[in-house]
Amino acid sequence: MSCKTKREADLEYLLEGRVFDGQSLHENWIVRIDSITGKIVGSGERGSIEEKRGQKIIEQRDTTILPGLIDTHVHFFGSIGSGINEWATTPDALAVLRSVSDLHRLLRAGFTSVRELGTKSGVFLAKAAEEGHFESPRIISCSRALAQTGGDDDPPSYPLEIGQALASYSYFCDGPWECRRAVRKVVRDGGKVVKLYASGGFAQGGKVRLQFTTEEIRAIVDEAHRSGIKVAAHAYGEEALLNAINAGVDSIEHGLGLTPKTARIIKDRGIFYVPTLVTYRKLKPSTNTAREKMIARHFREDMELAKRYSLKVTMGSDIVGDENRPHGRNYEEIAEEAQFLGNREALVAATSRAAECLDLPMVGRIREGFEADVIIVRGNPLKDVEALAPEKVLHVFKSGKLTSNS
Ligand SMILES: [Zn+2]
């Protein structure tokens, strides 16, 4: 028996129209949202779901209702300039304030969850957002990334201690026991995932170098899994990919240099593959031909292999919050992935599969009992991904609450 007051009934929303539920599309569906519990009360064909007086009805022509978008690879550097020194030397308070604004922008653009893979104040942003101090997507933070001495985020132009003290997003560790201790620091910080560098990247220019050994990665994976959290591995090149996947990581970030051999193991082990394509579109071309070849290959062979082996490709943009990669239009990664996988698969990668990657079992689908992270966009993103552009996002519900400006 319902004993809800009128005010409570007002806090129920009834959305009507075309629905992408995280897997498939349905015409003429209804979705009921309870703002008090923050859950989806029901979804299904018109007539199959109870309608009550007092519910707020949202129905607009040619719109699509879908789960809130999820970006599984972001950073919040809050810097204007880009590059390792700019990221490292932006004062923390300034970076945080800019990041709050970035998070608000992301929420209004339809992103209701993000996985933050290395940011000085990532866990504090996550905590303040969870406490409700500002409107934000849910943040799954790794606190600091784990990197070897001289690794990707260890600015080489400074003396060691100064470089590592300035470093914007890593704990440096060498050898299995230091690596285990670094995981324990992440857990102590409140990190919900571990990020490690199996290779370098392009941040320091030059040749991409192999980083942590398999022994070190195994120690990190074992320690993280003992604490019940997953491991995301930055990996470029076949050897780094093999080191990471053989050590048991849960997701491959970037994954440049995929080969049939590595694709087969990634497939067999159910590892997520996060190609971060949009980042490589945004990087300025360099004179480093090896780097340019690796990037060009990523858009051809790597993605063809990902498709051929049906890898669990997941939406992750590697947008960092600086002038080259500003937050807000992160949906462009979905458009990039759609070119290879098709629109439906790219939408799965940004909703239900992304939630699985983040270990959020009750997020990423429009289904009874799930978290009411729901957005309404103008148009049909299964026909045209541009329907996910921020200017097309009409309403955003995060845990059943309609966000301001939406
Ligand atoms: Zn990244």
Side-chain angles (χ1 to χ4, degrees), residues 252-371:
I252 290 291
E253 309 299 314
H254 318 298
L256 283 77
L258 202 61
T259 54
K261 182 180 176 183
T262 47
R264 165 59 59 199
I265 309 174
I266 290 171
K267 170 67 181 170
D268 288 348
R269 301 200 178 166
I271 297 168
F272 296 92
Y273 183 74
V274 188
T276 67
L277 299 172
V278 75
T279 269
Y280 302 108
R281 288 267 187 241
K282 289 182 188 294
L283 289 181
K284 293 204 172 85
S286 77
T287 52
N288 179 343
T289 50
R291 167 186 146 152
E292 294 309 306
K293 264 192 196 156
M294 207 171 188
I295 291 175
R297 191 187 176 283
H298 194 45
F299 282 93
R300 294 192 312 263
E301 284 92 328
D302 293 351
M303 289 310 291
E304 273 164 27
L305 283 167
K307 196 175 169 188
R308 192 185 326 151
Y309 285 85
S310 304
L311 300 191
K312 292 201 284 188
V313 174
T314 307
M315 188 288 189
S317 66
D318 200 17
I319 297 290
V320 301
D322 68 14
E323 64 187 351
N324 288 345
R325 284 181 278 165
H327 281 292
R329 302 186 75 80
N330 303 37
Y331 85 97
E332 288 171 355
E333 177 66 23
I334 306 173
E336 291 285 352
E337 293 181 10
Q339 290 184 34
F340 300 94
L341 310 172
N343 291 9
R344 194 195 75 86
E345 189 63 17
L347 276 167
V348 169
T351 54
S352 54
R353 187 177 299 135
E356 193 193 331
C357 177
L358 266 56
D359 239 351
L360 297 172
M362 299 308 282
V363 168
R365 289 173 193 262
I366 306 262
R367 189 181 285 177
E368 184 182 341
F370 273 61
E371 201 69 17

Side-chain angles (χ1 to χ4, degrees), residues 73 75 195 318:
H73 190 137
H75 303 265
K195 155 81 175 291
D318 200 17

